[in-house]
Amino acid sequence: MSEFYHSVTLNSESCKGCNNCMKRCPTEAIRVRNGKAHIITERCIDCGECIRVCPNHAKQAVSDPLSRISDFPYSVALPAPAFFGQFKNLDSLDQVLTALKQIGFQDVFEVSRSAETVSRYTEQLMKSDRLNRPVISSACPAVTRLIRVRFPNLCRNVLPLLPPVEIAARMARREAVQKSGLNPEQIGIFFISPCPAKATYIHMPLGTEKSEIDGVLSINDVYLEIVGIISRIEHPEPLSQSSRIGVGWAGSGGEASVLPSDNYLAADGIENVIKVLSEIEDDKLDTLDFIELDACCGGCVGGVLTVENPYVAKSRIQKLLKTLPSSRQQHRDEVPSSALWTVPLEYVPVMKLHDDVATAMKMMKQIEDLVQEMPGLDCGSCGAPACRAFSEDVVRGLASRGDCIFKRREQVQRLVEELSSLENYLPPPFRKPEDEDGAEKED
Amino acid sequence: MNEVLLLHYEIRGGDFIHAGESSGHVKNILKRLGFHPNLIRRTAIAMYEGEINMVIHAGGGTADVKITPEQIEIRLADHGPGIKNLDLAMREGYSTASDSVRELGFGAGMGLPNMKKYADDLKIRTAVGKGTTVSILTKVSRNQG
Ligand SMILES: Nc1ncnc2c1ncn2[C@@H]1O[C@H](COP(=O)(O)OP(=O)(O)O)[C@@H](O)[C@H]1O
Ligand code: SF4
Ligand SMILES: [Mg+2]
C-alpha cells in the first residue's frame, strides 16, 4: 500500500484544467499540468474544498457502494449526526434508522451516541489539567491533518481522544456480536460519512494504528436509497439512543457549547480555521480553554458529501433536537484508556524545502528573489496557485520560469527589441549625415 | 562558507490591522527551512512582540532578520520616543499604552518579558527622544536533542 491514501481523486476525463480547485486548496497541493489538475499527495488533507468548487465535477471522493454491505452476514450502519439534517419533514430519528434497516443493514448505531460519550470524556479530561491549553478538538480529520502539516507547534494542543465515529465503531461491533452471536470479523461496520476526510480516516486513521470501520458510504448515496421509503414508514422502530448533546455535533459549535467552560471558540470553514490556528500559534488565544474547528462551513452539515445546503440542514437539526432528551449518559469515572490516542500526532513537514537547512536556505533565497521579479498577480495561468508557489516550483525544479506568461512576454519583448534594432541597422556606407549624430527626428 | 539568509521589512506605525505580518512571514519561512518547531515558535513570538511594540509605541520602524543554520538574529530599529526606564519596562504588566490602544487588545505589558523569556539573548539599546533598537537572538542549539 502507498504511504498516502486519499479519498479525494481526480476524474481526468471531466477535468478541463481550469484553476478553480488549485486556487482554493488550503495546502497548495494542486497544480495544473497538461490541461489537467494534479494533486500533490503528501500535501493533501482530504478536506474536499476542490470537490466543492469544481464546476465540472471532476474531483471526486472515493466511497464504498451500498452493495458492499452484503460482504458481511451482519452489517451495521453508523450514520453521522449530519445525516439527519438531510431529510425534509422528519418527525424522529427513528424514521431514518428504520429505513436504513430496510435497505439491508441488520442494525444501526448512531454516531451521535458516541459523540455524547466523547463530550463526557472531553469534560473529564479538561478537568484533569493534563492537556495543553487551548485544547483543540480532534473530531474533524481535515483540521487535524492540516495542523499536522502546517502548524507544528499545535500538535500538542490537539485533544488526544478518538473521534466519535471510531468509538461508535467499537461499541457497535461489541453490541452486534452480543446480539447476533457471530464472530467480530463477521460484523461489517459501515460509516455514513459527510466527507472524504472521514473516508480517508478509516484507511489512515489518526491517533490509532487501525480503524474498526470496515467501509464508508457517502451521505448522498445513502440519501438517495432511503429518501423515497422514509415517508412510507408508518411505524418506525424505536431505535434511536441519541440525545441533544450528540446530535448537536452535526453543526459547528455543537461540540464546544456543551462543555462546562464558556471560554471556548468554534470556527468553521477552512479559511477561518487557518486564521484561528495562526492566532493560537502566536499565543493570541491563550486565554481560551477549548477550540472547536470544522473544515466545512456550518460544520459537518456542510460536508462535501451531503445533499442539503448546510443552513437548511442545520435548521432541521435544530428542530429535531427538540424531540430528543437533553442527555442520555452520565460519566463520572475515569476516561477509559481505550478511548485515548495510542499514536501521538506528529508534525509532517511536507512544506519543507530540503532536509538540509543550508540547502533549504539557498533555495529560499532564490525563491525570495524570484518572487520579487514576478508580476504578483497570482493569476494561475502558470499552473501554480500563486506567484510565490510558482517561484517555489521553479526553484524546486518542478516548473520553468518561462511558464509564467508575463515572464514569457518579457522574453518575447526582448527578442522583438533585438530584431527591430537589427532591422534599423544600416552599415556605415549607407548612413545619412544626419543619422551620424544619432538624433532621431519626430514630428 | 556559512549560508546566510537576510530579510528586511518596513513596519508602519499605528497600523494595528496589519501588525504581525512580518513576523508571520518569518514564521512561514522558518517552517519552509525545516527549523525545529520550538525554535520557530520562540522566534516568531519574540519578533511579533517587538514588531507590535514598534507599531504602538514608536510609530513604526524596520526589521532585519539574519538567518543562519545555527541561529536567527532579529534587529528591530525605530526612531520613536525611546524607553525612559528600561528596568521598569522589562517588568511583567508594565505598560505605558494609552487607553485607546488597550481597547484594541494591546498593552498587557507582557511583550518585553516574553521576548526575554523566548530569546536566547535580548539586547535593547534605547535613547529617549531618539529611538530604540531591539536585538533578539534565538539559537538552534537550545532545541537540539
Ligand atoms: N519600541 C519601543 N519604543 C518605545 N517604547 C517602548 C518600545 N517597546 C517597549 N516600549 C515601552 O516598554 C513598555 C513595555 O513594553 P511591553 O512589555 O511590550 O508592554 P506593552 O507593549 O504591552 O506596553 C511599553 O509600554 C513602552 O512604554
Ligand atoms: S467539518 Fe465535518 S464534514 Fe467537514 S471535513 Fe471536517 S469532519 Fe468532514
Ligand atoms: Mg508590547
Side-chain angles (χ1 to χ4, degrees):
Chain A
M1 208 183 91
S2 106
E3 199 186 339
F4 298 97
Y5 173 91
H6 289 294
S7 41
V8 174
T9 58
L10 179 87
N11 173 356
S12 289
E13 264 166 45
S14 317
C15 177
K16 290 190 175 158
C18 72
N19 62 32
N20 284 298
C21 59
M22 179 178 84
K23 303 223 56 148
R24 272 295 274 278
C25 176
T27 54
E28 295 189 334
I30 300 175
R31 297 292 182 274
V32 182
R33 293 282 180 275
N34 307 323
K36 305 286 173 198
H38 290 268
I39 303 175
I40 305 172
T41 54
E42 63 268 33
R43 289 191 183 182
C44 173
I45 56 169
D46 288 282
C47 64
E49 282 301 303
C50 53
I51 300 181
R52 209 189 303 274
V53 298
C54 179
N56 307 309
H57 308 294
K59 285 277 177 13
Q60 301 162 326
V62 180
S63 59
D64 293 306
L66 184 64
S67 57
R68 255 209 76 204
I69 69 176
S70 47
D71 292 354
F72 296 84
Y74 194 101
S75 285
V76 188
L78 272 56
F83 192 48
F84 303 114
Q86 309 303 311
F87 306 92
K88 239 185 251 174
N89 306 324
L90 214 56
D91 298 317
S92 76
L93 307 189
D94 289 331
Q95 289 169 282
V96 173
L97 301 174
T98 306
L100 287 172
K101 287 183 75 171
Q102 291 189 1
I103 59 167
F105 288 101
Q106 277 66 41
D107 205 352
V108 291
F109 192 107
E110 303 148 274
V111 175
S112 37
R113 245 177 91 183
S114 47
E116 180 174 354
T117 311
V118 171
S119 287
R120 301 288 178 206
Y121 290 166
T122 308
E123 193 180 327
Q124 288 289 332
L125 283 180
M126 299 279 294
K127 268 192 231 151
S128 73
D129 264 356
R130 270 187 302 168
L131 306 175
N132 296 306
R133 305 283 153 125
V135 175
I136 304 171
S137 159
S138 53
C140 172
V143 170
T144 308
R145 288 181 200 284
L146 177 70
I147 292 173
R148 197 171 68 162
V149 298
R150 279 191 53 181
F151 297 93
N153 283 302
L154 301 182
C155 291
R156 52 189 217 113
N157 292 64
V158 179
L159 181 67
L161 263 180
L162 293 174
V165 64
E166 189 61 39
I167 293 179
R170 295 176 181 192
M171 285 163 61
R173 192 181 304 276
R174 218 178 306 135
E175 272 191 21
V177 165
Q178 271 167 14
K179 284 190 199 170
S180 66
L182 295 167
N183 294 327
E185 321 79 72
Q186 291 174 292
I187 313 288
I189 302 290
F190 289 91
F191 176 44
I192 303 175
S193 174
C195 64
K198 291 196 157 158
T200 298
Y201 169 88
I202 78 157
H203 297 275
M204 305 229 309
L206 297 154
T208 178
E209 294 286 351
K210 194 183 169 304
S211 170
E212 286 274 331
I213 303 157
D214 297 304
V216 176
L217 310 177
S218 74
I219 281 189
N220 48 30
D221 285 349
V222 183
Y223 169 86
L224 292 174
E225 297 286 339
I226 68 169
V227 67
I229 57 180
I230 280 192
S231 54
R232 276 183 268 127
I233 297 173
E234 282 180 8
H235 304 288
E237 283 182 64
L239 294 165
S240 175
Q241 298 191 45
S242 292
S243 68
R244 266 181 238 165
I245 292 183
V247 178
W249 277 61
S252 166
E255 178 189 3
S257 62
V258 297
L259 294 173
S261 167
D262 285 333
N263 224 357
Y264 71 86
L265 172 160
D268 54 321
I270 196 81
E271 297 299 329
N272 297 325
V273 165
I274 291 171
K275 278 190 198 137
V276 170
L277 289 171
S278 311
E279 298 208 356
I280 309 173
E281 202 175 38
D282 293 341
D283 268 1
K284 287 188 219 161
L285 301 177
D286 52 1
T287 55
L288 291 173
D289 285 322
F290 191 82
I291 297 190
E292 176 187 330
L293 300 171
D294 297 304
C296 298
C297 283
C300 294
V301 285
V304 71
L305 300 180
T306 61
V307 182
E308 197 45 271
N309 141 0
Y311 302 97
V312 174
K314 203 165 181 177
S315 126
R316 289 183 188 156
I317 295 271
Q318 294 301 339
K319 241 170 78 193
L320 281 169
L321 291 184
K322 300 219 168 79
T323 69
L324 300 174
S326 60
S327 73
R328 297 234 199 201
Q329 303 164 26
Q330 256 107 40
H331 277 277
R332 274 186 215 90
D333 30 297
E334 273 290 288
V335 177
S337 59
S338 60
L340 294 170
W341 278 1
T342 48
V343 182
L345 189 67
E346 274 179 32
Y347 178 37
V348 183
V350 295
M351 308 301 246
K352 187 161 85 173
L353 290 170
H354 201 276
D355 283 336
D356 172 55
V357 178
T359 312
M361 283 173 58
K362 249 185 220 131
M363 293 169 77
M364 185 54 87
K365 252 190 269 179
Q366 293 166 2
I367 294 169
E368 289 293 319
D369 288 346
L370 197 52
V371 169
Q372 295 308 315
E373 273 181 45
M374 299 311 291
L377 295 173
D378 295 343
C379 71
S381 345
C382 56
C387 297
R388 176 170 282 277
F390 173 72
S391 308
E392 207 180 299
D393 287 352
V394 171
V395 172
R396 283 181 193 258
L398 304 172
S400 83
R401 217 173 250 260
D403 293 340
C404 168
I405 52 169
F406 298 94
K407 287 275 140 209
R408 175 70 30 137
R409 254 184 68 190
E410 280 172 20
Q411 287 173 355
V412 172
Q413 236 148 27
R414 268 199 300 273
L415 267 175
V416 169
E417 274 160 27
E418 260 171 53
L419 281 175
S420 71
S421 75
L422 277 178
E423 188 187 46
N424 292 339
Y425 178 80
L426 287 175
F430 303 96
R431 288 181 200 157
K432 294 184 187 135
E434 61 259 41
D435 289 339
E436 217 58 81
D437 45 57
E440 256 178 60
K441 275 187 195 159
E442 264 176 48
D443 39 23
Chain B
M1 208 205 74
N2 224 339
E3 203 51 45
V4 180
L5 180 62
L6 299 172
L7 303 162
H8 175 81
Y9 304 91
E10 300 283 332
I11 292 155
R12 279 211 304 263
D15 186 352
F16 296 98
I17 306 297
H18 298 106
E21 273 183 6
S22 332
S23 48
H25 187 250
V26 170
K27 181 168 79 178
N28 284 334
I29 287 194
L30 295 178
K31 284 183 191 174
R32 292 285 162 115
L33 296 178
F35 280 103
H36 190 286
N38 190 262
L39 178 84
I40 299 174
R41 177 183 149 78
R42 295 193 291 117
T43 310
I45 295 180
M47 176 167 174
Y48 172 78
E49 292 295 350
E51 188 183 349
I52 290 285
N53 279 355
M54 293 203 300
V55 173
I56 50 182
H57 306 297
T62 55
D64 285 281
V65 182
K66 183 177 170 193
I67 302 171
T68 68
E70 291 79 34
Q71 61 180 42
I72 298 147
E73 279 176 73
I74 300 162
R75 203 168 142 269
L76 300 148
D78 65 60
H79 298 291
I83 304 174
K84 274 198 202 87
N85 186 336
L86 194 54
D87 287 335
L88 207 55
M90 292 304 298
R91 281 197 206 152
E92 292 192 3
Y94 176 83
S95 174
T96 60
S98 66
D99 286 346
S100 62
V101 166
R102 279 169 210 255
E103 274 159 23
L104 292 168
F106 301 102
M110 291 303 292
L112 288 173
N114 274 337
M115 284 155 77
K116 179 102 198 133
K117 179 168 122 198
Y118 289 122
D120 293 312
D121 189 43
L122 179 71
K123 284 200 181 70
I124 301 174
R125 282 192 299 125
T126 183
V128 174
K130 290 202 174 133
T132 305
T133 303
V134 176
S135 305
I136 300 162
L137 180 77
T138 51
K139 288 185 178 169
V140 168
S141 54
R142 183 161 139 193
N143 292 108
Q144 272 169 354

